Amino acid sequence: AAASVAAPPPTVPLHHLATIVDRSFEARATASVAPTPTVPPATVPPEPPTTAPPVTTPVSAPVPAPAPPPAPAAPAERGALPVGKGMWIWLPERVEGGDPAAIVAKAKAVGLTHVFVRTGSSKDGFTGGPFLDALLPVAHANGIRVYGWDFTECDNPGDDVNRALTAIRYTTPDGQRIDGFSPDIETPSEGTSGNVEYLSAYAQWLRDNVGDKYPLIATVPNPTAYRLANGFPYAQILGPFDAVAPMVYWMNREPGADVANAISYLAQFGKPIFPIGQAYDGGPEGGPPGVPSREQLQRFMEVADQAGAAGVSFWSWQHADDQAWQAIADSPDFTLGLGGPDGGLTPAMIRSYQTLLTGLGFPIAADGAYGPDTLAAVAAYQRAAHLSVTGRIDESTRALLLTPVAAPLRDPNS
């Protein structure tokens, strides 16, 4: 049975402490009584005083110090999409020994911006809680976004939606949630229902329950000629999703052509595309073809970048060998540099920032050009974040853009 959603931490009431003001009063001196004079007082009137009485200067109230400017905070009117480079985690115990600190350290060393973590399946139910409790605080503190993924069979789409919602709403003891969700929607040969009505209902019910500001990424098969001929229902299921992540596992094909064809086909749906590359041994055990070579992995990233992808990720962490990790780290593609309308950013970098800004609620066309609209969107983000408004991607702006912030989620009681 699926585990129940952990209740969010209780709201702590604010206590307004009364200000105690100490007031000190000077004691008034008691005037001494003069002795009775033996000589009657003079009848001559006293001369007027030669000095003016002291002037009491009113004390002005202290001028309050100006309030400090608000500290920079990463604004998120919507949830962020997974730009940059990412990696998929299937079995946490086989990933750096399940140690969150080691996982995050390696992710940062390689230049990853995000990871996908398995949260459950139709057979297993929701299983991700313990690992999310350990990973999310460390990942988020180090600027690594964490997206949940789930293998759905969709024979019972209502049950699959409820399990997905359990993962999406799951809150760690310190109040962290995953940054988005991606159902793994496969073909019948991998175990997913071929019932298009069920698949469409799953996608729409999931969107209806999370609201229109929560990031949902559809993980789907590579749209090869074979898959298209066999009628995989891309058009029927992609509508409710914010983005699409095709599984481009090229096996014995050329990776550049494979990813270019996938992006070309999926572009018709008007959604950011985040191809998933092959970092596992696709051949028989102990035989060819093995984990893809450095040249193949970098060719995949280079062509994906040129063809208009907004980010890439790889399946999977536990399968990638050292040379695959190094190839991912060394690739200049899908890095997020610094610059602005006067230069410093490649069209691919600009497109990634445009996709990220749009995902966060500062919409801009992802055309790879740093024109007036992009400058205005960056400036609007900086203004909302209380940063210096320059319209350029500087260090502080990039840091906040990559800071994980809880994605808005529809209230289940609304």
Side-chain angles (χ1 to χ4, degrees):
S4 59
V5 183
T11 302
V12 179
L14 299 176
H15 298 287
H16 299 280
L17 302 178
T19 302
I20 301 173
V21 180
D22 291 329
R23 296 181 176 88
S24 59
F25 299 90
E26 295 183 357
R28 296 182 179 180
T30 304
S32 58
V33 180
T36 302
T38 56
V39 179
T43 57
V44 180
E47 294 182 1
T50 57
T51 57
V55 178
T56 304
T57 303
V59 179
S60 300
V63 178
E77 299 173 18
R78 297 177 55 87
L81 291 173
V83 300
K85 303 175 188 177
M87 186 65 80
W88 289 66
I89 295 176
W90 173 26
L91 300 172
E93 65 274 14
R94 298 188 188 179
V95 174
E96 310 305 314
D99 178 3
I103 292 170
V104 171
K106 185 166 186 174
K108 293 184 69 176
V110 174
L112 303 186
T113 57
H114 61 282
V115 294
F116 289 87
V117 173
R118 187 176 187 267
T119 58
S121 71
S122 296
K123 284 188 171 63
D124 300 330
F126 172 66
T127 59
F131 186 53
L132 293 178
D133 287 347
L135 178 66
L136 281 176
V138 183
H140 284 174
N142 286 274
I144 303 294
R145 289 189 169 99
V146 178
Y147 296 86
W149 72 273
D150 172 283
F151 179 75
T152 175
E153 294 181 355
C154 255
D155 288 322
N156 297 289
D159 292 345
D160 288 328
V161 168
N162 285 331
R163 186 182 64 259
L165 294 174
T166 299
I168 290 167
R169 294 172 181 158
Y170 184 81
T171 305
T172 65
D174 66 336
Q176 309 279 335
R177 289 193 282 112
I178 56 176
D179 298 289
F181 185 78
S182 185
D184 180 10
I185 304 172
E186 303 268 0
T187 67
S189 62
E190 283 86 26
T192 296
S193 170
N195 187 316
V196 176
E197 183 180 357
Y198 284 6
L199 294 171
S200 300
Y202 172 85
Q204 190 59 57
W205 292 347
L206 184 56
R207 171 58 69 195
D208 290 344
N209 277 274
V210 299
D212 60 1
K213 297 182 178 181
Y214 190 85
L216 296 176
I217 303 105
T219 295
V220 296
N222 185 4
T224 59
Y226 173 81
R227 292 263 163 64
L228 296 177
N230 282 272
F232 188 85
Y234 296 98
Q236 289 82 359
I237 63 177
L238 291 182
F241 291 94
D242 298 291
V244 55
M247 295 174 277
V248 183
Y249 307 146
W250 51 88
M251 301 300 184
N252 58 349
R253 297 184 299 270
E254 201 279 310
D258 245 33
V259 72
N261 290 336
I263 293 172
S264 176
Y265 174 78
L266 294 171
Q268 66 181 297
F269 301 108
K271 300 177 184 295
I273 301 170
F274 299 94
I276 307 168
Q278 179 184 340
Y280 69 94
D281 185 345
E285 186 174 354
V291 174
S293 67
R294 174 187 179 89
E295 290 72 25
Q296 288 178 318
L297 290 163
Q298 293 195 335
R299 172 72 174 161
F300 165 78
M301 288 182 278
E302 177 186 15
V303 176
D305 210 357
Q306 294 171 351
V312 292
S313 59
F314 294 88
W315 178 271
S316 73
W317 191 306
Q318 71 191 63
H319 296 109
D321 57 16
D322 289 342
Q323 66 90 28
W325 280 107
Q326 196 61 52
I328 296 167
D330 292 344
S331 173
D333 300 300
F334 300 103
T335 57
L336 298 170
L338 304 177
D342 52 350
L345 296 173
T346 66
M349 290 178 184
I350 296 169
R351 185 174 59 249
S352 291
Y353 280 123
Q354 290 167 332
T355 301
L356 183 54
L357 284 162
T358 297
L360 291 170
F362 300 84
I364 179 65
D367 58 6
Y370 212 118
D373 290 345
T374 299
L375 191 151
V378 173
Y381 178 85
Q382 291 170 328
R383 196 172 295 111
H386 306 295
L387 295 168
S388 296
V389 180
T390 64
R392 290 176 50 84
I393 303 293
D394 50 30
E395 289 278 6
S396 56
T397 302
R398 178 176 63 180
L400 277 186
L401 282 169
L402 296 178
T403 297
V405 181
L409 186 58
R410 181 179 179 180
D411 184 346
N413 297 316
S414 64

